[in-house]
Amino acid sequence: MDDSAAKTVARASHLPSAETMAKRRRRRYLADGAARWLVRAGGGGVVIALTLIFVYLFSEVLPLLKGASIESTATLETSELGEGAGVYLGLERYGEIGMRYTRSGELQYFRLDDGAMLETVNLELAEGVSITSIGNGEPRSRLVAFGLSNGRAMVVRHQSELTFPSEGVREIVPAPEFPLGREPVVVDERGRALTAVAVQQARDDTGVAALTSDGELTLVRYRVQTALLTGEQQIRRQQWSVPSHDEPVLHLQLSANLWNLIGADESGHLIYWDIADPNDAVLRDVVAAVESGEQITDLEYLNGTFSAVIGTSEGRLSQWFLVRDEREEAGDNIFYLARAREFHRHPGAITDIRPEYNRKGFVVVDDQGHLGIHYGTSSRTLALESIADEALTAVTVSPVNNQILAETASGALKVLDIWNEHPEASLGAFWNQVWYEGRSNPEYVWQASSGSDSFEPKYSMVPLTVGTLKAAFFAMLFAMPLAIAGAIYTAYFMAPQIRGYVKPTIEVMEALPTVILGFLAGLWLAPFLEGHLPVVFTTLVGLPLSFLLIAFAYAQLPRAWRVRVPAGWEAVILMPIIGLVVWALVSISPIIEIVFFDGSMRQWFTNVGITYDQRNAMVVGIAMGFAVIPTIFSIAEDAVFTVPKHLTQGSLALGATAWQTVTRVVLLTASPGIFSAVMIGFGRAVGETMIVLMATGNSPVLNFNIFEGMRTLSANIAVELPETAVDSTHFRILFMAGLVLFAMTFLVNTIAEIVRQRLRARYSNL
Amino acid sequence: MKFKTWMKSGDPWIWMIGGALGISLIMVIGLLTLIAVRGFAHFWPSPLVQTVATLEDGSLTQILGEVVEQETLPAQRIRESGVEVPENAVLVTRYLFKVGNREINSRDFVWHLESAMSEWRYPENAVMLERRKGGNFYGFPERLEYDGEVVAEGDGIWPELEAMINAKSELADQIQRIENRDIGRINKALEELRLIERGLDYNNVVGPERSEAMAEVEARRAKLDAQYEILRQERNRVQQQSRRGVLVMRTASDEIVPISVVDIIKGSRNNAMGLGAKLTFYGGNIKDFLTGFPREANTEGGIFPAIFGTVTMVLIMSVLVTPFGVLAAIYLREYATQGPILKAIRVSVYNLAGVPSIVFGVFGLGFFVYLMGGSIDALFFPERLPAPTFGTPGLFWASLTLALLTLPVVIVSTEEGLARIPRTIREGSLALGATKWETLRKVVIPLSAPAMMTGLILAVARAAGEVAPLMLVGVVKLAPSLPVDGEFPYIHLERKIMHLGFHIYDVGFQSPNVEAARPLVYATALTLVILILILNLTAISIRNRLREKYRSQGD
């Protein structure tokens, strides 16, 4: 006893000392605290990253809604530049030099920051010759024509060039040109004064249209020919006369292909001459463009010269198109003038309109000192502000749309910086029918880009949205019956041994990449269906019939045989039947085509008038339905499987058959789960990209024809986003499409999830 | 049983919905079978058929090639396209022949009607040559020449040819090594010198310091140019050497075509091969497919860069997604205060799994590539501008975007694993005095490791199959080099990669010659499907085992 007691006392503790323990405890708690912060940071970071997606998409879309902003940077005095009121202004893309034509025939180049004069070009007219009219061409052509009192005209082109005087230094120098020579060219051979003049540059020709003092209209085309060897320049001249209008024409404009001439007269009429064949020029249309008493104060073609804008003395602005006459009695290529749209009214009479270089917008000034920035396609007035206390007489906008130069009546030049990046975007442009240039009526069109500068981008979201809904609709049409029926069968009727094989097979179905489904749909299914079109219709009828037949035959079998096969094997018995039936229907498909459809059902469709594309909504429906079936199946099956057993047992005990129990008890109980399954499946169908990209024709058509293709929002993003200019309107619109997809699927999934939670709660209460 | 009573019992409806399930199952099985059959068939050496066909204008043409497809259709459809069809025929069969020989034939795939062809023969000495350029060649070997002198003729050609193909192949590899590796190194060094020069400009280095640096740059440049000259001459010499062997072939229409032996990858006498030889050839084809590089605008060759790109991207994605997914799941389940806000967060995280993948691609392009990549370029690589380094789609951004996309999958799976661990185990650990972190580290996380692995496997499977976001953030049709190679920094995160899923889309829909590309699409699809099936079945089996294991403990 004493020994063991002594031993117990003598043995030292194997535990560490109290200090070490305390130190360790401190370290452990430190580690615990650090871990808590690390996990919080990581977890919070992930949640933040996921919200960042929404926030970022939204921030990229927001600038679309902004209008234009105007900021005044400088006011220059034209008295330093010389005599004469300014009639036509110009800017270059770097914002350093301004250009000004005066009424006395001078072209002045000056610096924008301090108004210093750089160069003056004088027309050097002969004695006794004065300027009687001024006309201009498209902004890109940079042409201005001065009509003279002796029936001649001077054509000037204001340009600037880049020079690099030393390493890394860029200088912009004026480089004015006289494309038709330094001497005035003959417009009217009889030497009458020109009271209105228009000039335009077609590819090789320069066209000048002019109204003489006694009311005759004449069109002249000049071509500059350079002799190969000597370099000598010769101007070839051709003249035609144009049928005159009874009233004096104040403004004239020529189109860029020199086929159309439009004019405005004193009493507010808009006139259109068809000069495509100059030998046979015709006065095609005269329209009263304004109310009585109002006058047209300016007429300009927009970029591309497909449409024109007029400004009136009451401050109204309207855009006019040349629309093709589609009636039977009209001939080919007969056009007439149509008013397309109006813009926000200015408080004063319009004094000058200047179109933008590369877009369908224009800037306007009036006699109350207001500046308006408008855009054609989207019918938007982006800004309408007062920039001066007096009337403004001329305006111009920079080629890159970031600067405006305006001249006041007292000769002050206002230099303004503007931000106007997304004028094409408006709710109307996205969701309403828009009347686009060159078309006969307003339509829904998506056509975002093309090769030319004068293209009008068409950003209607309607064809894309309808395409998305069409694809989703046909996919759900195919998937819903198969998935829900399959789910009910698997959850309720199927033999338990088979369940262990069926569920993994459906999970494999879900795991298949959509790229593979898409390529099979596009490369195999679409040609197969086109070549065996009757199969679609025969299987629709034939498969259910064959099921019924087999079922009836099975029911006729003697009882002794039937009890040998355990219940719940229907699906397995039917699988080889399905294979056989489909194979048989495919084999007789050519024979059906020969007997009923003259050898080709596809051709018969075209003859009957139904459009059929090889890659169409039916193919997409089958392929995307295949992708969506497992999503709907697993959720619906889960809902039906977890219906509390006592409900079914009670129903069966009361004498209902299995089918009656399913339809009247189980389905009704599980219906929220099935509903949420359908919703989640729909969300998946709406967002699917690869299948649609590969199995449709990707053409943005607007119809619900099952035999035609479509373009969806998601496929549109995948196709166009890699090729847009960053931060352009098109870029932001694609982001908006992404945002719409995000919001739609998020909403649908959240609703479905809430419904499912409620269902689970309900089950646990039953 | 009477029909009406039978209908009323609801029995037929049960069969109908059973049939619906049967349709779904048949579709899955049918799809997998279709891909398997067409994919595996791509590698099998098919017999070479020789026959004479009558064309539309009545002339005869000799055909030697493989039969690729067969179709039976109503005769009227053929008649409508203007081809002669016997009067009494109702159904016609036609065959698609791959006749290759692109330098002679205008079309290398031609349809011929069965009725328009004479009897099919299978000549023993017909040869199919797989070439580096210009597609396959089908013909009969005439003679083998070396430096213009005949080396072998007739039956003796074959063994000599095989030896020469091997020798020339080695020379071709040598040329490629010189071009890609050695000359490539010199180019890279020259590019670095150019960037040094630009760096001097950018940092405004002037005066004696600059002339000193420039002198050094010039000296190195001169040395590199000298090295390049040597390599160039060596390459020209080897190339000349490689072109000395010529195989003269005769086509079925008796045209003589000389083919340089170095252009031949392999030749086979399909009709003369026995089963063993065919199986060896088959295996060789599969190996070349999985380890070779694509040729002829992706319509021929192998898919190794696509497999490599997919694997690299998935590895980087796993490195990014696992820690964040696990941390987020632990946060949501263990550390966050339970309540309505947490429920909302959890629902949102689950819903992100349902957001279309293209939206992630859009976000990746705008935010990662242009915003973050642009800033990285401006900060770290200003001298390379305006050529972007990271401000352009690439490997890293693709992995990051996919990590974001598969994050919900990992979070859901890990949370499920954490939830399955019975409270008793957790409480026991805490009762023994462990801190929360220690409990997590030593008890909970190891127990839920299989669930995390399941999540990771599902994420990897999804990443291997997702194409839509990758089209926007870093995958290309043909990448000039692999993202991992022997030069520092060994893993090039800014390079563009190829991807299996995108390869399927590209070869199937953006190919210049769809007929030639189609078998390759099926083969690539088969590879992808096998990969995904293996991953998913592994994950499913792990998950099922986990469920069984914890069913008893949790209930």
Side-chain angles (χ1 to χ4, degrees):
Chain A
M1 198 57 67
D2 273 350
D3 254 24
S4 53
K7 275 195 196 131
T8 319
V9 165
R11 190 187 308 164
S13 167
H14 286 287
L15 291 172
S17 66
E19 297 170 2
T20 333
M21 290 288 274
K23 225 195 294 180
R24 277 197 197 166
R25 212 176 297 128
R26 260 202 305 276
R27 221 185 313 144
R28 284 168 60 215
Y29 285 143
L30 259 174
D32 190 48
R36 192 175 339 126
W37 282 113
L38 180 71
V39 170
R40 279 231 179 97
V46 164
V47 174
I48 289 176
L50 297 174
T51 35
L52 187 63
I53 299 177
F54 184 74
V55 167
Y56 176 73
L57 287 179
F58 205 71
S59 75
E60 280 289 325
V61 173
L62 219 50
L64 279 180
L65 308 174
K66 285 204 253 182
S69 64
I70 304 176
E71 197 186 302
S72 179
T73 43
T75 307
L76 311 170
E77 286 304 318
T78 55
S79 45
E80 299 170 22
L81 298 172
E83 293 282 318
V87 289
Y88 190 89
L89 302 172
L91 283 171
E92 47 80 30
R93 58 177 297 146
Y94 295 102
E96 296 181 17
I97 293 188
M99 295 160 265
R100 180 170 179 265
Y101 291 85
T102 65
R103 192 165 289 284
S104 43
E106 271 185 12
L107 166 59
Q108 300 163 339
Y109 284 83
F110 53 94
R111 274 219 298 271
L112 282 176
D113 45 7
D114 55 9
M117 169 75 83
L118 285 172
E119 192 176 319
T120 310
V121 175
N122 209 307
L123 286 185
E124 287 162 17
L125 300 170
E127 275 294 317
V129 178
S130 59
I131 297 176
T132 47
S133 58
I134 297 157
N136 59 277
E138 244 198 319
R140 286 180 296 167
S141 63
R142 297 191 186 85
L143 288 179
V144 173
F146 290 95
L148 305 174
S149 53
N150 57 358
R152 294 180 178 232
M154 278 292 280
V155 176
V156 192
R157 180 181 283 139
H158 56 273
Q159 282 209 102
S160 52
E161 271 175 7
L162 288 176
T163 59
F164 297 90
S166 55
E167 182 77 34
V169 175
R170 178 193 72 199
E171 217 176 274
I172 301 172
V173 294
E177 261 182 30
F178 290 88
L180 298 182
R182 202 65 180 80
E183 291 298 315
V185 287
V186 175
V187 177
D188 180 33
E189 285 167 333
R190 288 200 279 166
R192 292 168 290 183
L194 306 174
T195 52
V197 71
V199 67
Q200 194 60 270
Q201 174 85 38
R203 254 198 309 261
D204 299 319
D205 294 357
T206 307
V208 173
L211 181 72
T212 62
S213 48
D214 48 1
E216 259 189 51
L217 265 174
T218 175
L219 168 72
V220 188
R221 282 169 86 132
Y222 302 93
R223 184 177 297 209
V224 177
Q225 286 166 327
T226 317
L228 266 175
L229 297 171
T230 56
E232 231 178 80
Q233 289 199 326
Q234 216 191 7
I235 299 179
R236 206 190 66 173
R237 178 184 175 282
Q238 279 178 293
Q239 173 164 12
W240 300 270
S241 77
V242 181
S244 49
H245 180 63
D246 20 349
E247 297 194 26
V249 176
L250 296 177
H251 309 275
L252 280 174
Q253 288 286 347
L254 274 169
S255 69
N257 50 13
L258 298 181
W259 289 356
N260 307 313
L261 175 66
I262 53 174
D265 69 7
E266 284 178 338
S267 30
H269 291 99
L270 207 52
I271 311 129
Y272 160 55
W273 288 270
D274 182 343
I275 52 171
D277 178 9
N279 294 312
D280 189 21
V282 177
L283 191 153
R284 196 70 81 180
D285 198 8
V286 179
V287 184
V290 293
E291 327 255 319
S292 63
E294 226 176 309
Q295 285 178 328
I296 300 179
T297 48
D298 201 2
L299 165 70
E300 288 284 344
Y301 263 123
L302 288 184
N303 174 37
T305 63
F306 297 111
S307 63
V309 176
I310 60 171
T312 72
S313 51
E314 300 289 319
R316 280 191 249 267
L317 291 160
S318 51
Q319 186 177 3
W320 292 75
F321 287 167
L322 279 175
V323 180
R324 188 184 298 269
D325 199 337
E326 309 251 320
R327 292 173 303 171
E328 287 291 318
E329 35 310 354
D332 288 332
N333 286 334
I334 308 291
F335 291 85
Y336 62 92
L337 289 166
R339 182 202 301 264
R341 54 181 70 96
E342 296 214 2
F343 300 90
H344 213 89
R345 193 177 160 182
H346 273 245
I350 309 287
T351 48
D352 197 15
I353 302 175
R354 181 62 11 95
E356 291 176 342
Y357 269 59
N358 50 8
R359 299 192 303 208
K360 306 292 176 180
F362 53 99
V363 298
V364 181
V365 287
D366 61 27
D367 65 0
Q368 300 293 318
H370 286 78
L371 167 71
I373 305 179
H374 309 267
Y375 194 82
T377 322
S378 55
S379 298
R380 248 180 115 178
T381 297
L382 294 130
L384 184 53
E385 283 178 21
S386 168
I387 58 168
D389 298 323
E390 39 171 353
L392 294 162
T393 51
V395 72
T396 188
V397 65
S398 126
V400 289
N401 304 319
N402 60 359
Q403 208 174 42
I404 282 184
L405 186 64
E407 180 161 331
T408 67
S410 63
L413 280 170
K414 300 247 176 227
V415 184
L416 308 137
D417 274 346
I418 52 172
W419 184 91
N420 183 18
E421 288 301 309
H422 306 296
E424 310 98 321
S426 76
L427 222 56
F430 291 149
W431 296 106
N432 287 345
Q433 284 186 319
V434 177
W435 196 344
Y436 298 104
E437 286 176 347
R439 313 238 169 174
S440 343
N441 344 66
E443 297 173 314
Y444 296 111
V445 180
W446 171 274
Q447 194 183 13
S449 59
S450 129
S452 71
D453 281 335
S454 55
F455 173 73
E456 181 178 31
K458 306 171 178 60
Y459 293 128
S460 178
M461 301 288 278
V462 174
L464 298 178
T465 316
V466 168
T468 312
L469 291 175
K470 177 176 168 183
F473 172 72
F474 285 116
M476 294 305 284
L477 195 65
F478 179 74
M480 257 169 58
L482 289 179
I484 296 179
I488 296 173
Y489 182 78
T490 314
Y492 201 75
F493 294 107
M494 180 179 271
Q497 311 99 290
I498 320 180
R499 258 187 118 229
Y501 290 103
V502 165
K503 294 217 67 186
T505 314
I506 301 291
E507 290 203 28
V508 160
M509 204 175 171
E510 175 141 36
L512 279 175
T514 50
V515 168
I516 293 186
L517 297 174
F519 108 79
L520 277 178
L523 286 187
W524 176 74
L525 187 64
F528 178 81
L529 282 183
E530 194 186 21
H532 297 86
L533 213 41
V535 171
V536 176
F537 302 98
T538 46
T539 29
L540 216 59
V541 170
L543 273 182
L545 263 177
S546 61
F547 295 159
L548 279 176
L549 272 167
I550 298 294
F552 193 60
Y554 185 79
Q556 304 306 329
L557 285 179
R559 197 152 229 268
W561 290 22
R562 263 189 289 142
V563 294
R564 286 217 180 166
V565 179
W569 280 75
E570 289 92 350
V572 178
I573 299 176
L574 282 178
M575 270 170 62
I577 307 290
I578 297 172
L580 276 169
V581 168
V582 170
W583 179 81
L585 289 175
V586 167
S587 308
I588 66 167
S589 160
I591 302 175
I592 295 180
E593 282 190 293
I594 294 172
V595 169
F596 291 109
F597 297 106
D598 265 344
S600 166
M601 190 167 174
R602 160 109 184 58
Q603 190 59 37
W604 181 81
F605 265 29
T606 318
N607 296 343
V608 165
I610 306 175
T611 335
Y612 184 90
D613 295 334
Q614 191 194 69
R615 294 184 183 161
N616 53 32
M618 187 171 60
V619 174
V620 168
I622 296 176
M624 205 145 72
F626 185 100
V628 164
I629 284 177
T631 316
I632 303 180
F633 179 95
S634 32
I635 302 177
E637 198 259 345
D638 190 59
V640 172
F641 192 67
T642 48
V643 168
K645 286 275 179 286
H646 61 85
L647 288 175
T648 21
Q649 286 163 353
S651 162
L652 290 170
L654 287 172
T657 62
W659 183 250
Q660 284 174 326
T661 311
V662 163
T663 43
R664 291 169 204 247
V665 177
V666 175
L667 266 188
L668 290 180
T669 322
S671 60
I674 299 182
F675 172 75
S676 100
V678 167
M679 286 203 77
I680 295 184
F682 181 76
R684 186 154 172 205
V686 155
E688 186 48 56
T689 313
M690 288 318 289
I691 297 181
V692 184
L693 196 58
M694 301 201 251
T696 67
N698 266 324
S699 50
V701 292
L702 186 61
N703 56 46
F704 263 94
N705 184 0
I706 192 178
F707 296 119
E708 275 188 71
M710 86 272 312
R711 186 188 281 204
T712 63
L713 283 170
S714 44
N716 190 53
I717 297 174
V719 166
E720 294 190 353
L721 193 57
E723 298 172 4
T724 41
V726 181
D727 287 344
S728 63
T729 306
H730 189 195
F731 186 80
R732 294 194 196 277
I733 290 178
L734 292 175
F735 269 75
M736 188 173 76
L739 188 64
V740 165
L741 281 175
F742 182 84
M744 206 162 31
T745 44
F746 201 80
L747 193 68
V748 161
N749 282 355
T750 313
I751 296 178
E753 189 63 34
I754 293 177
V755 166
R756 246 173 62 175
Q757 302 283 13
R758 288 246 183 94
L759 180 68
R760 283 219 190 101
R762 192 214 275 192
Y763 278 170
S764 53
N765 286 341
L766 283 173
Chain B
M1 207 191 293
K2 277 278 194 53
F3 188 68
K4 263 220 167 104
T5 29
W6 178 68
M7 286 291 282
K8 273 214 189 122
S9 71
D11 209 33
W13 288 111
I14 301 179
W15 282 87
M16 295 285 271
I17 62 174
L21 181 71
I23 294 178
S24 304
L25 294 175
I26 288 258
M27 283 205 297
V28 178
I29 298 176
L31 185 143
L32 292 174
T33 319
L34 176 69
I35 296 180
V37 164
R38 291 219 180 170
F40 280 124
H42 166 61
F43 306 108
W44 188 259
S46 46
L48 299 176
V49 174
Q50 184 178 21
T51 178
V52 183
T54 321
L55 294 177
E56 287 154 30
D57 54 3
S59 59
L60 296 175
T61 175
Q62 295 274 351
I63 301 172
L64 174 68
E66 304 177 60
V67 175
V68 175
E69 220 178 292
Q70 174 188 348
E71 221 186 347
T72 307
L73 16 97
Q76 248 145 319
R77 249 192 265 166
I78 304 290
R79 272 194 210 107
E80 269 157 23
S81 62
V83 181
E84 269 289 315
V85 173
E87 274 304 313
N88 54 347
V90 169
L91 289 174
V92 291
T93 312
R94 57 179 191 168
Y95 296 90
L96 183 63
F97 279 87
K98 178 176 179 180
V99 291
N101 303 9
R102 280 189 203 150
E103 57 265 69
I104 303 174
N105 298 330
S106 51
R107 289 181 303 167
D108 50 345
F109 285 85
V110 197
W111 285 102
H112 288 290
L113 287 178
E114 190 176 22
S115 53
M117 289 191 289
S118 69
E119 194 191 318
W120 287 8
R121 284 166 288 141
Y122 299 87
E124 288 263 326
N125 62 337
V127 168
M128 175 180 88
L129 298 174
E130 195 182 322
R131 298 187 291 181
R132 288 181 208 280
K133 286 194 274 275
N136 286 1
F137 191 93
Y138 302 96
F140 304 94
E142 281 283 292
R143 57 184 182 276
L144 187 62
E145 294 178 358
Y146 194 82
D147 275 342
E149 293 191 13
V150 177
V151 169
E153 260 185 298
D155 286 330
I157 292 184
W158 201 251
E160 285 290 328
L161 180 64
E162 299 213 341
M164 200 184 284
I165 290 180
N166 285 338
K168 298 304 175 202
S169 246
E170 272 182 39
L171 292 180
D173 285 341
Q174 208 177 344
I175 295 179
Q176 216 196 19
R177 256 202 312 276
I178 298 179
E179 283 179 351
N180 289 355
R181 203 183 56 188
D182 303 327
I183 297 187
R185 261 197 218 126
I186 294 185
N187 278 337
K188 193 162 182 296
L190 282 173
E191 173 73 11
E192 270 176 34
L193 290 180
R194 184 187 79 89
L195 288 177
I196 292 178
E197 233 185 297
R198 278 210 72 179
L200 293 175
D201 286 340
Y202 191 77
N203 295 325
N204 284 326
V205 175
V206 285
E209 207 183 312
R210 187 195 174 91
S211 36
E212 205 182 300
M214 286 304 291
E216 194 186 320
V217 164
E218 289 302 325
R220 281 166 68 180
R221 195 173 277 160
K223 206 162 58 169
L224 287 170
D225 282 338
Q227 283 176 354
Y228 171 71
E229 194 50 43
I230 299 175
L231 283 174
R232 193 175 69 86
Q233 286 182 1
E234 170 74 14
R235 180 203 168 278
N236 286 351
R237 187 190 65 79
V238 177
Q239 182 161 51
Q240 268 197 352
Q241 165 87 346
S242 71
R243 299 212 84 87
R244 285 157 81 179
V246 173
L247 174 66
V248 179
M249 296 283 289
R250 180 175 54 85
T251 67
S253 35
D254 281 331
E255 275 179 62
I256 303 288
V257 179
I259 299 178
S260 200
V261 175
V262 72
D263 285 338
I264 302 175
I265 298 177
K266 57 176 134 181
S268 54
R269 293 179 298 181
N270 292 13
N271 299 338
M273 289 202 289
L275 184 62
K278 280 195 177 167
L279 283 173
T280 326
F281 190 74
Y282 186 72
N285 272 356
I286 293 186
K287 180 178 91 62
D288 285 340
F289 180 70
L290 292 176
T291 57
F293 283 75
R295 299 190 308 267
E296 292 289 307
N298 290 358
T299 59
E300 282 182 19
I303 56 168
F304 180 67
I307 299 178
F308 192 79
T310 313
V311 166
T312 322
M313 185 196 67
V314 154
L315 279 176
I316 299 183
M317 181 204 80
S318 317
V319 164
L320 289 170
V321 85
T322 317
F324 283 107
V326 168
L327 270 182
I330 295 177
Y331 171 69
L332 284 177
R333 182 142 294 270
E334 306 279 339
Y335 280 93
T337 42
Q338 306 287 327
I341 302 183
L342 185 68
K343 236 196 239 164
I345 295 180
R346 189 174 282 132
V347 166
S348 334
V349 168
Y350 285 25
N351 280 348
L352 267 154
V355 167
S357 50
I358 192 77
V359 173
F360 287 98
V362 165
F363 173 74
L365 184 66
F367 187 76
F368 290 142
V369 174
Y370 290 137
L371 205 63
M372 277 175 70
S375 322
I376 293 179
D377 268 357
L379 285 174
F380 298 109
F381 304 101
E383 68 277 5
R384 292 194 203 189
L385 291 174
T389 321
F390 276 98
T392 181
L395 171 63
F396 186 64
W397 304 130
S399 310
L400 199 54
T401 309
L402 279 186
L404 205 59
L405 194 147
T406 50
L407 203 56
V409 173
V410 175
I411 294 179
V412 164
S413 198
T414 313
E415 257 208 282
E416 212 181 298
L418 289 172
R420 262 182 220 288
I421 298 175
R423 250 168 17 125
T424 47
I425 296 185
R426 261 188 260 252
E427 286 173 352
S429 162
L430 291 170
L432 286 171
T435 63
K436 186 160 182 175
W437 169 239
E438 283 166 355
T439 311
L440 271 177
R441 210 182 67 191
K442 302 207 185 223
V443 178
V444 174
I445 291 185
L447 280 179
S448 58
M452 291 180 200
M453 210 156 57
T454 313
L456 184 61
I457 295 175
L458 288 175
V460 163
R462 187 146 178 214
E466 271 305 336
V467 178
L470 292 178
M471 280 171 74
L472 301 176
V473 285
V475 171
V476 289
K477 176 190 179 87
L478 189 63
S481 48
L482 295 176
V484 176
D485 60 16
E487 302 165 19
F488 185 79
Y490 307 117
I491 300 183
H492 302 268
L493 291 172
E494 78 282 3
R495 281 198 191 156
K496 302 193 200 296
I497 51 169
M498 291 172 71
H499 183 261
L500 266 183
F502 184 76
H503 200 78
I504 296 175
Y505 168 69
D506 175 73
V507 176
F509 292 85
Q510 293 178 341
S511 248
N513 189 343
V514 174
E515 295 287 357
R518 202 174 301 165
L520 214 73
V521 180
Y522 280 103
T524 316
L526 180 64
T527 318
L528 185 61
V529 164
I530 290 178
L531 179 69
I532 302 246
L533 277 182
I534 292 177
L535 287 171
N536 273 85
L537 289 175
T538 319
I540 292 174
S541 74
I542 295 179
R543 205 190 319 147
N544 288 346
R545 226 169 337 127
L546 276 184
R547 280 204 190 134
E548 289 305 317
K549 188 167 158 199
Y550 284 110
R551 189 185 298 254
S552 48
Q553 294 198 20
D555 286 343

